[in-house]
């Protein structure tokens, strides 16, 4: 008989144990590599999620800034109404004073735009004359309209004397018109 190697149960068992150990090691290595891939993907997903949240926050911030800009623009427009421009203060003041006089029941007989006494910085002087005698109540109402006006005007000088009853004689009224 020739010497043939025959498979014996022990050698088959050794071969199977070796294959089993190799398969287990291969599975452990594959599991480890899979775990590393999942970790990298998790880091990438977390970074993308944070970027998306930051983008959403930036969009919210931009919307808030847009609203704040609109609010500020409204305030700027309102502030522009307070002051007359140096070029247009004459027409604006004359129009406003005539309108207030009509509402208050007063008649303006003259309006002059003379420099007069030194005025505070940023103002121009308007002098008006009122038909006398005038009702004291109407005069007070007229002065209130001037003080609360847009563009901003303020009475600088006023000379009144009592005529009779509720009527007064009014001298020239100096009014400062605020300009920008």
């Amino acid at each position: 008989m020739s010497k043939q190697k025959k498979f014996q149960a022990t050698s088959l068992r050794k071969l199977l144990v070796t294959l089993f150990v190799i398969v287990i090691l291969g599975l452990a290595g594959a599991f480890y590599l899979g775990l590393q891939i999942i970790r990298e993907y998790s880091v990438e997903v977390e970074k993308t999620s944070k970027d998306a949240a930051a983008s959403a926050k930036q969009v919210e911030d931009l919307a808030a800034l847009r609203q704040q800009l609109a609010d500020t623009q409204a305030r700027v427009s309102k502030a522009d109404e307070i002051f007359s421009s140096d070029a247009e203060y004459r027409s604006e003041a004359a129009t406003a004073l005539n309108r207030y006089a009509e509402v208050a029941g007063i008649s303006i007989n003259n309006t002059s735009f003379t420099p007069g006494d030194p005025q505070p910085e940023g103002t121009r002087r308007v002098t008006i004359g009122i038909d006398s005698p005038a009702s004291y109540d109407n005069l007070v109402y007229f002065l209130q309209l001037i003080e609360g006006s847009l563009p901003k005007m303020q009475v600088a000088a006023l000379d009144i004397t009592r005529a009779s009853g509720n009527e007064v004689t009014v001298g020239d009224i100096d009014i400062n018109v605020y300009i920008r």
Side-chain angles (χ1 to χ4, degrees), residues 60-81:
E60 289 173 8
D61 290 347
L62 285 174
L65 283 173
R66 186 174 292 139
Q67 181 62 37
Q68 186 179 12
L69 182 62
D71 292 345
T72 302
Q73 189 62 35
R75 289 184 189 130
V76 167
S77 296
K78 187 95 169 168
D80 282 344
E81 291 176 8

Side-chain angles (χ1 to χ4, degrees), residues 107 109 129-134 159 163 167-171:
S107 286
N109 57 26
I130 294 179
D131 289 339
S132 292
D159 182 29
E167 294 194 343
V168 291
T169 303
V170 182

Side-chain angles (χ1 to χ4, degrees), residues 24-89:
I24 294 292
L25 289 175
L27 286 175
F31 178 78
Y32 180 76
L33 287 176
L35 186 61
Q36 292 303 317
I37 291 171
I38 289 174
R39 283 184 182 158
E40 290 173 8
Y41 185 70
S42 170
V43 167
E44 186 178 323
V45 166
E46 184 178 355
K47 181 181 176 189
T48 304
S49 175
K50 285 182 180 179
D51 288 347
S55 293
K57 175 82 169 110
Q58 286 178 340
V59 168
E60 289 173 8
D61 290 347
L62 285 174
L65 283 173
R66 186 174 292 139
Q67 181 62 37
Q68 186 179 12
L69 182 62
D71 292 345
T72 302
Q73 189 62 35
R75 289 184 189 130
V76 167
S77 296
K78 187 95 169 168
D80 282 344
E81 291 176 8
I82 293 174
F83 300 102
S84 289
S85 68
D86 196 20
E88 298 175 359
Y89 86 94

Side-chain angles (χ1 to χ4, degrees), residues 16 26 40 58 102 108 117 123 130 138 158 162 165 167 170:
L16 288 175
E40 290 173 8
Q58 286 178 340
E102 183 179 323
I108 296 177
D117 296 330
T123 62
I130 294 179
N138 291 354
L158 170 66
R162 184 177 206 147
E167 294 194 343
V170 182

Side-chain angles (χ1 to χ4, degrees), residues 146-158:
I146 290 172
E147 292 287 333
S149 69
L150 289 178
K152 181 69 179 142
M153 292 187 278
Q154 185 175 26
V155 175
L158 170 66

